[in-house]
Amino acid sequence: MAHLVTDIKARECTECGKAIRTYTEQPMCHPCRAVRREAERKDTERRRRVLDRQQTNLDADLAAHRMSETEHKRRSAVLAGRRGPKRDRRPNRDNRTTTEQGYGYAHQLARGQLLRDLVPGTQCPLCGDPMYPDQLLDCDHSNPAARAEGAPGDRLAHQHCNRRDGATRSLRRQGKHLRQPQRCEVCGVEFQPHPNQKTCSRKCGWTIRRRTAPATPTP
């Protein structure tokens, strides 16, 4: 991430002219980026409605014997190509219910009670950082084998810490290769790194960026 840190400069948004700090060649502030994404989403939906209407007309012509099956298949294939392939954004999504996954009513009751009893600033058992009620917190199992037996969780942990720990244990059970754990350069927490990853979380990564970013010259 070194090239991202050294290229951070004070630039102007290409849409509204607002001064921002970014490393991209075509900078854009967050509000303008959100407006553009919303416009692109609406344009995609409009095109999809047009293609769906055309497909409906083709089906009606086929039903009324105004078109042969061969011609219907050819034109439908053309419309499908314009629409593009259907992609599942979450191909590995678990479609089981929360009860089937072991997070049923008893687990949810235990999580609610733990949230009510949470003392702000209590350390996360997985990363050691403080926990607060306004954060995303999961009900974790101190004994991983208890979840397989259907027992509810008995402690709170940060959502990203809990799910990262569960994914790591799942990969180990499957016998997949894991990189050697290393220590975060900021907080010292041990984590499973991705390629070129130096910190355990985005928060620690931005801490390093702020430390190494060049100072903005005052006008």
Side-chain angles (χ1 to χ4, degrees):
M1 297 190 304
H3 65 285
L4 300 181
V5 175
T6 56
D7 292 343
I8 292 180
K9 298 179 181 179
R11 307 173 189 246
E12 292 185 355
C13 174
T14 55
E15 296 290 333
C16 64
K18 179 181 177 181
I20 57 176
R21 286 174 56 83
T22 182
Y23 53 84
T24 59
E25 294 298 332
Q26 296 181 349
M28 187 179 299
C29 62
H30 290 289
C32 293
R33 188 180 294 114
V35 171
R36 172 171 291 187
R37 288 176 179 173
E38 182 65 17
E40 293 175 351
R41 184 187 65 81
K42 291 183 178 180
D43 184 62
T44 302
E45 290 182 355
R46 181 186 60 80
R47 293 181 180 180
R48 186 174 299 147
R49 287 195 298 269
V50 172
L51 293 175
D52 290 343
R53 191 181 307 114
Q54 294 176 358
Q55 182 64 45
T56 302
N57 294 336
L58 290 179
D59 296 339
D61 291 342
L62 178 64
H65 302 287
R66 292 193 296 264
M67 181 183 300
S68 64
E69 293 186 2
T70 303
E71 183 67 13
H72 178 268
K73 290 182 180 179
R74 186 187 69 81
R75 295 192 181 185
S76 297
V78 172
L79 292 179
R82 293 177 181 176
R83 186 180 289 107
K86 294 183 178 180
R87 295 177 297 176
D88 189 358
R89 295 182 180 273
R90 300 178 61 183
N92 299 322
R93 181 176 181 178
D94 193 347
N95 294 321
R96 296 178 299 169
T97 63
T98 54
T99 303
E100 293 172 345
Q101 297 178 30
Y103 304 116
Y105 183 65
H107 181 85
Q108 296 171 19
L109 282 180
R111 179 178 180 273
Q113 185 62 41
L114 290 172
L115 286 174
R116 288 189 292 271
D117 297 341
L118 174 66
V119 178
T122 302
Q123 289 187 345
C124 173
L126 300 178
C127 69
D129 287 346
M131 298 184 297
Y132 299 95
D134 59 343
Q135 294 178 329
L136 296 176
L137 303 176
D138 279 353
C139 186
D140 182 33
H141 295 81
S142 57
N143 180 16
R147 176 177 175 269
E149 299 174 357
D154 56 356
R155 64 179 183 180
L156 290 176
H158 290 128
Q159 185 181 90
H160 62 277
C161 297
N162 179 42
R163 302 187 182 186
R164 178 183 59 194
D165 182 67
T168 302
R169 285 189 276 105
S170 176
L171 291 175
R172 287 175 179 169
R173 286 195 302 268
Q174 298 174 21
K176 295 186 177 180
H177 174 70
L178 294 175
R179 296 181 177 85
Q180 292 296 328
Q182 67 183 38
R183 294 282 180 181
C184 176
E185 297 182 2
V186 177
C187 62
V189 173
E190 190 177 82
F191 68 99
Q192 294 288 342
H194 297 293
N196 302 324
Q197 184 179 359
K198 299 180 181 179
T199 59
C200 64
S201 63
R202 186 176 297 176
K203 175 183 176 182
C204 293
W206 279 109
T207 301
I208 289 185
R209 290 187 180 187
R210 285 193 293 268
R211 290 178 182 175
T212 57
T216 305
T218 57

